[in-house]
Amino acid sequence: MALSHSLGFPRIGRDRELKKALEAHWQGTLDETGLRAVGQRLRAEHWQLQKDAGIELLPVGDFAWYDQVLGHSLALGVIPERFRPAAGKPGLDTLFAMARGAVGNQSGHSCCGGAHAQELTKWFDTNYHYLVPEFAVDQQFALSWGQLFEEVDEAHALGHAVKPVLIGPLTYLWLGKTKGSDFNKLELLERLLPVYGEILQRLAAQGVEWVQIDEPILALDLPQDWKNAFERAYNLLQREPGKKLIATYFGGLGDNLGLAANLPVDGLHIDLVRAPEQYPTILDRLPAYKVLSLGVVNGRNVWRCDLDKALELLRHAHERLGERLWVAPSCSLLHSPVDLEREDQLDAELKSWLAFAVQKCREVALLGQALETPQAAEVQAALAQSRAVQAARAASKRIHKAEVQARLAAIRPRHAQRQSPFATRSAKQRAHLQLPPLPTTSIGSFPQTAAIRLARQAFKAGKLSAAEYAEAMHSEIRHAVEVQENLGLDVLVHGEAERNDMVEYFAEQLDGYAFTRFGWVQSYGSRCVKPAVIVGDLSRPRAMTVDWIRYAQGLTAKPMKGMLTGPVTMLMWSFPREDVPREVQARQLALAIRDEVLDLEAAGVKIIQIDEAAFREGLPLRRAAWRGYLDWATEAFRLTASGVRDETQIHTHMCYSEFNDVIESIAAMDADVITIETSRSDMQLLEAFERFAYPNEIGPGVYDIHSPRVPDSAEMAGLLRKAATRIPVERLWVNPDCGLKTRAWPETEAALVNMVAAARQLRAELA
C-alpha cells in the first residue's frame, strides 16, 4: 500500500489561536506557561485532524512559535552575540527578541537590552517570511533548544506515528548570511554536521523510524561547490541512525535530479504540482531501494485536486514502485488555510471547488487508498465527486467575461509607456510639488486600532449604517492627518483606516474574486493574511478609493498620496486561478487598477503609490524562467501606472527582498519613487541600487516597523548618512520601511518624531 504522509501542517489554528496567544504574551497578559499550553493544545489538535483525515505518518517539528527557520537557529545554537543569554540555554524570550527586536524589560524581551531584530525575508517564492540566520566567521554550533524532542514525546504519548521535520544542513546554510566579515558560509558545513548527527541520534533513541530533511534548494540553480557539498554531507549523515527522507518542493530538480536521486538516503520527495515534467525521469534514476514520495496535491492553492488526473500518474508509479511509493501534498500545508468546513457562508458551488489543509490531507489519503482498494465505495464516491467538480468549474458562467477579454486584446505597447522619460517628469514634479530635500512620508497605513476593527465589524453585521461607518472612518482619517501635520511630515497619507488588508480591500471591490471567513494563512510570527480567491475574469465596476483620498486631501494643503496595491501583488497574495496563466490574470488586474489611477489623478491627487511588495517574490526559482516572468510583471505595473501626466508622481513600495537579481526590471518599472525595506539589513540592500546606478528616486526605510523597538533620531540619521553614500541625496526620500498598521499609536508617533528630526538634521548638514 502507498503510504500517505504530510510534509507539514498550518500552526496558527482554525481560529488563529496561536496569533492571539502570541500577541497576548507580548502584551504581558499571558504568561509563558499559558502560551506553551496553547501551543501544546494546537499541536495535539493538528495531529488528530491529520490522522482523522487518513494521514498515516504525521509531521513533528513543523510547529514554530514564530518561524521554523528561527526555531532551527536556536536548536543549532546560531544565536547572534547581541541576543545570547548571559547564562544557561536560550528561552522563548531569546527567540522573540531575535524575531522582533529587544525593548528593554518589556514582557518577553528581558534578555537583550535594545538589540535590533534579525533580518526578515521571503521563504523562496512564497509570501511567508523567515528570520535570516546570521553566521560569524568563527561560528560554532551546539544543540541548544530541545523543542523538537519534546514534541516527539508529546506525539508518541498521544499514540501517533511521527516523522520529525528538519531543515536540511545545506538549505539552512544557504538561507543564512555572513556577518562581520566576508567568508564562504559553506565552510561552516563541517562544524554543522555533527549537530545534525546528534539530533538524528536523539530521535532514534526516542523510537523515531523516519526523519524528513527539507532541502528545497535542490530546486534552485546551485553552484558546483554546493552540489559537491550535498554528496559530502549526506555521505557523513548516512552513518547516523534512522531512515532519512529528503524533501524538495516549490519547483523541479532539473539538473540536480541525478544528484538528489543518488544521495545516500532512504527516500526522496518531489513536487509534481510545480514540476510534473520531472516524474518520468525520476523513476528511471531512482535506486531500487529508495522510497519515492510524490507531491500530487497542491499545498499552495485552495482548489480541489483533480483526483482522476493524480490517480492516473500514481497508478503508473505504483506499478513500478509498489510499497516504495508514498503519496503527499506538494509541500508543507503551512501555505494553506486550515479547514474548509468552517466556511459556512461560502457559495455552495464555489465551496465544492475548494480544499483547505484538512481536506488536502483527505485527498492525499484517498489517493493512497485508491491504489490499494480502487473499488471501495468511498473511493468511487470521491472520484465521482471530483469529476463533477471539474466539469462544473469548466462550465461555470462566473469564469469568463467578454468585455474583459476585449480589453486585453486591445492592449498596445504604448499603453505601458509614460509620456516622457524620468528626467523630464522629475523636473515637472519638483516644480509641481515644491517639496524640501529629503522629503518625509510614510508608506501608507497607520495603526488599525480596536475602534477601527469594531466599527468595521459592526458595519458588516448591519449594526452601523453606511453613513455612520463613513463618519467613523472620516474621524480616523482626520486624526491621522492631524498627527502627520503636527509631526511635520511633507507628504501625507490618509492612514487606510477603511481597509482590512492591502489586497482584500481591493479584491472585495473587483468582479472576479471570492472570499472566505476563516481562510487565514501565516505570513510571519503572529501576522496572518486571508488571501482572496480569484474565480473569474477580473474587472473594476466602480471607483474604489477616490472618495476617501479626496476627503483626506481636503483636510490639508500638503500632498496626499493615493494608495493602491499593484497587479503583481494582488495576484501573488491571492489564490489564483489554475485554468488561466498568471500573466493573463496580472494584465486583467493591471487594467482594473489603471482605471483607479486615472480616476485619482482626475480628482486632483498629485502622488499615487502603487505597492508592488510581492514583485521579487514572484520570481521563478530557476534563472531560465526569469525573463518571461519579469517581462510580464514589469509590463503589468507599467500598464497600471502609465496613463497619467508627467506631473503626477508615481511611487511604488517593495518588501524584504534580495534586489540584486531584479534591479534592471525594477528600473524598467519606471516608478518615479520606490520605497524599500532596508533598516534590518543596515542599508545593505541599497548596494544593488548603487551598483546598478538606479536612476529614479528612492526611499530606503530608516526604521523597522515589524519591531516594537523605537530607534532614536541619531540612529536614523546614521542610516540616512549610509544611504547618502550610495544614492545622491537629491534622489533620497525618508520613510519607515513598511506600513504602520500593526503598530500602536504611541510608538508610531514616537518613531515618526525621530524620523522627521533625523531628516531635518541631515538637511541642516547638507545646507
Side-chain angles (χ1 to χ4, degrees):
M1 181 176 177
L3 182 142
S4 61
H5 72 116
S6 168
L7 275 66
F9 197 79
R11 50 197 176 233
I12 58 172
R14 287 188 282 194
D15 290 309
R16 294 178 292 161
E17 294 95 330
L18 183 59
K19 168 192 173 65
K20 295 168 186 175
L22 285 170
E23 292 176 356
H25 178 64
W26 297 335
Q27 292 162 8
T29 60
L30 181 67
D31 64 14
E32 183 172 325
T33 300
L35 177 62
R36 287 187 177 276
V38 172
Q40 185 172 3
R41 187 166 63 249
L42 285 173
R43 291 191 293 271
E45 178 182 323
H46 295 161
W47 289 325
Q48 194 61 48
L49 283 171
Q50 293 172 84
K51 190 172 186 176
D52 290 345
I55 296 298
E56 298 168 271
L57 200 53
L58 304 177
V60 173
D62 53 338
F63 179 86
W65 293 110
Y66 199 97
D67 160 53
Q68 70 269 15
V69 181
L70 176 61
H72 209 60
S73 291
L74 263 74
L76 299 172
V78 183
I79 302 172
E81 185 65 38
R82 64 187 182 278
F83 298 113
R84 205 159 293 163
K89 298 278 187 177
L92 278 181
D93 57 346
T94 314
L95 184 147
F96 293 138
M98 291 167 69
R100 307 176 70 234
V103 287
N105 293 318
Q106 288 186 24
S107 175
H109 301 281
S110 60
C111 72
C112 317
H116 61 85
Q118 289 188 222
E119 191 174 339
L120 196 68
T121 197
K122 296 295 179 72
W123 174 251
F124 294 87
D125 60 348
T126 75
N127 187 31
Y128 180 81
H129 302 65
Y130 73 92
L131 273 298
V132 179
E134 297 180 13
F135 302 132
V137 67
D138 59 350
Q139 184 70 55
Q140 300 299 314
F141 302 93
L143 191 54
S144 304
W145 179 256
Q147 181 177 327
L148 175 63
F149 312 114
E150 294 165 6
E151 292 177 9
V152 169
D153 285 340
E154 282 178 29
H156 279 165
L158 294 169
H160 299 311
V162 301
K163 171 173 51 70
V165 179
L166 301 174
I167 298 172
L170 277 304
T171 291
Y172 180 71
L173 288 176
W174 181 275
L175 295 174
K177 283 191 171 182
T178 60
K179 293 289 184 177
S181 59
D182 190 22
F183 63 96
N184 183 358
K185 59 190 175 184
L186 193 54
E187 297 169 1
L188 301 175
L189 182 63
E190 306 303 327
R191 299 179 219 165
L192 177 60
L193 289 176
V195 184
Y196 274 84
E198 187 178 349
I199 292 170
L200 293 170
Q201 291 166 23
R202 285 192 59 174
L203 291 172
Q206 290 180 286
V208 167
E209 181 183 9
W210 281 93
V211 177
Q212 174 185 318
I213 305 177
D214 287 0
E215 292 283 14
I217 66 166
L218 284 166
L220 305 179
D221 298 308
L222 292 177
Q224 189 59 47
D225 58 342
W226 283 80
K227 295 183 181 185
N228 297 342
F230 266 97
E231 295 181 352
R232 186 167 76 254
Y234 284 94
N235 275 319
L236 290 171
L237 290 177
Q238 72 172 323
R239 305 170 188 171
E240 305 298 344
K243 296 179 180 178
K244 305 163 192 73
L245 175 80
I246 297 294
T248 68
Y249 39 81
F250 298 157
L253 291 166
D255 60 340
N256 298 324
L257 189 145
L259 168 65
N262 290 299
L263 288 175
V265 294
D266 305 277
L268 175 68
H269 171 84
I270 61 173
D271 183 341
L272 292 187
V273 173
R274 280 293 187 93
E277 70 283 351
Q278 63 186 328
Y279 166 69
T281 307
I282 196 69
L283 278 186
D284 295 333
R285 303 290 294 274
L286 195 75
Y289 68 87
K290 193 170 290 189
V291 161
L292 181 62
S293 168
L294 297 182
V296 293
V297 172
N298 193 343
R300 290 183 56 175
N301 212 332
V302 292
W303 302 102
R304 287 184 62 161
C305 179
D306 184 336
L307 295 181
D308 277 323
K309 182 179 177 181
L311 192 54
E312 181 182 4
L313 182 147
L314 290 171
R315 282 175 178 146
H316 180 269
H318 197 237
E319 289 175 3
R320 295 277 299 272
L321 299 168
E323 291 188 356
R324 291 192 294 123
L325 173 65
W326 289 10
V327 186
S330 59
C331 60
S332 169
L333 297 172
L334 170 70
H335 311 285
S336 293
V338 179
D339 189 0
L340 182 67
E341 288 306 309
R342 303 293 313 287
E343 300 296 336
D344 53 3
Q345 295 182 11
L346 262 183
D347 172 87
E349 181 186 49
L350 176 60
K351 185 175 180 178
S352 74
W353 298 355
L354 304 180
F356 291 178
V358 171
Q359 290 71 40
K360 289 177 186 295
C361 287
R362 185 64 191 135
E363 289 177 330
V364 167
L366 274 166
L367 289 166
Q369 185 182 351
L371 294 173
E372 188 72 15
T373 56
Q375 298 307 316
E378 185 179 15
V379 170
Q380 289 299 311
L383 291 173
Q385 187 180 35
S386 176
R387 292 175 197 128
V389 165
Q390 303 307 320
R393 282 180 59 188
S396 176
K397 294 180 180 178
R398 74 168 83 212
I399 290 180
H400 302 292
K401 286 191 173 182
E403 62 271 23
V404 175
Q405 300 299 322
R407 284 197 75 183
L408 288 177
I411 294 174
R412 297 294 180 268
R414 68 176 185 276
H415 295 134
Q417 298 289 337
R418 293 291 296 269
Q419 295 175 7
S420 304
F422 171 72
T424 302
R425 301 197 310 266
S426 178
K428 292 182 180 180
Q429 290 163 15
R430 288 174 190 274
H432 190 52
L433 295 170
Q434 293 291 302
L435 296 173
L438 296 166
T440 55
T441 189
S442 70
I443 300 304
S445 59
F446 276 130
Q448 285 271 315
T449 63
I452 291 173
R453 291 193 294 270
L454 287 171
R456 187 180 299 125
Q457 291 168 9
F459 176 55
K460 287 187 174 182
K463 297 176 182 177
L464 277 184
S465 68
E468 290 169 329
Y469 176 70
E471 177 48 37
M473 295 303 101
H474 284 169
S475 175
E476 298 290 344
I477 292 170
R478 289 194 298 272
H479 174 68
V481 172
E482 181 181 353
V483 168
Q484 293 171 88
E485 290 269 21
N486 292 339
L487 292 173
L489 289 163
D490 301 306
V491 173
L492 310 190
V493 297
H494 78 296
E496 304 180 13
E498 79 286 358
R499 304 185 188 184
N500 46 8
D501 174 80
M502 67 180 289
V503 171
E504 188 175 16
Y505 172 79
F506 292 98
E508 286 175 339
Q509 300 182 76
L510 295 173
D511 287 341
Y513 269 103
F515 308 91
T516 65
R517 289 183 65 202
F518 303 103
W520 296 100
V521 178
Q522 186 182 26
S523 179
Y524 61 87
S526 68
R527 172 77 169 132
C528 301
V529 295
K530 187 155 59 71
V533 184
I534 302 178
V535 298
D537 286 344
L538 297 153
S539 59
R540 185 198 76 147
R542 65 191 66 84
M544 301 179 285
T545 67
V546 174
D547 288 345
W548 300 111
I549 305 300
R550 184 189 286 121
Y551 175 79
Q553 183 63 83
L555 300 172
T556 180
K558 292 184 175 181
M560 175 67 61
K561 282 195 288 189
M563 302 298 306
L564 304 173
T565 302
V568 176
T569 300
M570 288 289 298
L571 176 64
M572 297 298 168
W573 292 357
S574 303
F575 290 119
R577 291 168 66 176
E578 295 180 330
D579 60 328
V580 173
R582 289 193 305 165
E583 55 264 40
V584 173
Q585 296 173 75
R587 290 189 187 102
Q588 293 176 359
L589 287 162
L591 291 173
I593 301 164
R594 179 187 177 96
D595 293 342
E596 189 73 13
V597 169
L598 294 176
D599 280 353
L600 284 169
E601 183 183 58
V605 178
K606 299 175 181 179
I607 300 177
I608 302 171
Q609 182 171 309
I610 307 168
D611 289 340
E612 281 295 18
F615 184 85
R616 173 62 177 81
E617 172 187 315
L619 193 68
L621 299 183
R622 291 284 185 164
R623 189 175 290 271
W626 284 5
R627 179 43 51 200
Y629 164 75
L630 290 170
D631 284 349
W632 66 252
T634 301
E635 182 217 26
F637 180 85
R638 294 178 67 126
L639 187 60
T640 302
S642 292
V644 297
R645 300 186 303 271
D646 288 346
E647 290 82 1
T648 299
Q649 191 173 74
I650 297 293
H651 290 219
T652 191
H653 173 69
M654 292 187 180
C655 288
Y656 294 109
S657 295
E658 298 294 340
F659 295 114
N660 293 295
D661 297 328
V662 296
I663 189 65
E664 292 185 22
S665 296
I666 292 174
M669 291 167 67
D670 201 24
D672 298 303
V673 181
I674 180 173
T675 53
I676 57 174
E677 295 177 306
T678 56
S679 61
R680 285 201 182 195
S681 72
D682 197 32
M683 293 289 165
Q684 288 180 6
L685 290 179
L686 276 183
E687 291 175 3
F689 292 84
E690 178 190 20
R691 281 194 298 269
F692 177 71
Y694 183 78
N696 298 12
E697 298 182 23
I698 303 178
V702 296
Y703 78 92
D704 174 20
I705 66 88
H706 297 90
S707 170
R709 175 179 174 270
V710 177
D712 59 28
S713 60
E715 182 177 327
M716 295 190 203
L719 288 175
L720 279 174
R721 291 188 192 96
K722 286 187 178 182
T725 65
R726 294 187 163 108
I727 306 297
V729 169
E730 62 271 17
R731 292 198 279 113
L732 279 177
W733 285 62
V734 182
N735 45 263
D737 66 4
C738 202
L740 297 161
K741 68 180 292 183
T742 61
R743 304 268 55 93
W745 270 112
E747 66 192 76
T748 293
E749 293 189 50
L752 290 177
V753 164
N754 293 345
M755 187 187 82
V756 171
R760 289 173 175 168
Q761 181 179 343
L762 264 290
R763 287 174 196 161
E765 292 176 12
L766 292 171

